[in-house]
């Protein structure tokens, strides 16, 4: 588990927008989702940041996010679905561990993955 997000992390991300820096920050952001004392506004903002990282151009960023979020019950369903539809390195942790995906969605995603492999 990574350490909590700090102001230094944000400053580092602003100075270094590399995929490595974004992946490290995405992992730290993902760790915040399970904090019990988040206000509704804080949770909404955090979920917005997760949605941005879930669409990052770099595979390593999305994979870092998925790895950190794979078991949280607080993962927004739309973020879980976005990650589950991604490349195998991103989708696998979510598909194998997440409890927020419905059975209907899992059946759909298996069908989609089978048809793309034919």
């Amino acid at each position: 588990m990574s350490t909590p997000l700090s102001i230094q992390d944000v400053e580092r991300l602003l100075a270094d927008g590399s995929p490595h820096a974004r992946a490290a920050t995405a992992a730290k952001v993902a760790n915040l989702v399970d904090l019990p004392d988040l206000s509704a506004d804080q949770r909404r903002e955090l979920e917005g940041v997760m949605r941005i990282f879930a669409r990052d151009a770099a595979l390593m960023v999305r994979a870092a996010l998925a790895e950190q979020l794979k078991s949280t019950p607080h993962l927004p369903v739309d973020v879980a679905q976005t990650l589950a539809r991604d490349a195998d390195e991103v989708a696998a942790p979510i598909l194998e561990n997440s409890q927020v995906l419905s059975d209907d969605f899992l059946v759909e995603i298996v069908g989609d993955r089978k048809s793309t492999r034919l």
Side-chain angles (χ1 to χ4, degrees):
M1 179 178 282
S2 59
T3 58
L5 187 68
S6 69
I7 191 66
Q8 291 83 9
D9 293 317
V10 174
E11 290 170 350
R12 194 173 14 261
L13 185 59
L14 290 172
D16 175 10
S18 70
H20 289 288
R22 293 194 318 273
T25 303
K28 289 184 176 193
V29 165
N31 281 332
L32 299 174
V33 74
D34 288 325
L35 291 177
D37 56 348
L38 289 176
S39 70
D41 287 341
Q42 289 171 321
R43 184 161 302 281
R44 195 170 27 261
E45 288 176 20
L46 178 61
E47 290 174 356
V49 173
M50 286 190 296
R51 287 180 182 99
I52 291 168
F53 279 126
R55 294 187 314 267
D56 195 281
L59 178 69
M60 72 182 320
V61 174
R62 300 186 317 273
L65 184 70
E67 185 60 33
Q68 290 300 317
L69 292 173
K70 67 184 179 185
S71 298
T72 180
H74 298 104
L75 176 58
V77 173
D78 66 303
V79 175
Q81 290 175 344
T82 297
L83 296 170
R85 287 186 174 105
D86 207 319
D88 290 348
E89 300 92 323
V90 177
I94 299 297
L95 291 170
E96 292 169 3
N97 297 284
S98 183
Q99 299 298 310
V100 303
L101 297 172
S102 70
D103 289 344
D104 289 341
F105 176 82
L106 292 171
V107 168
E108 174 189 327
I109 201 80
V110 168
D112 290 348
R113 286 183 175 271
K114 278 185 178 180
S115 68
T116 61
R117 288 189 182 8
L118 294 177

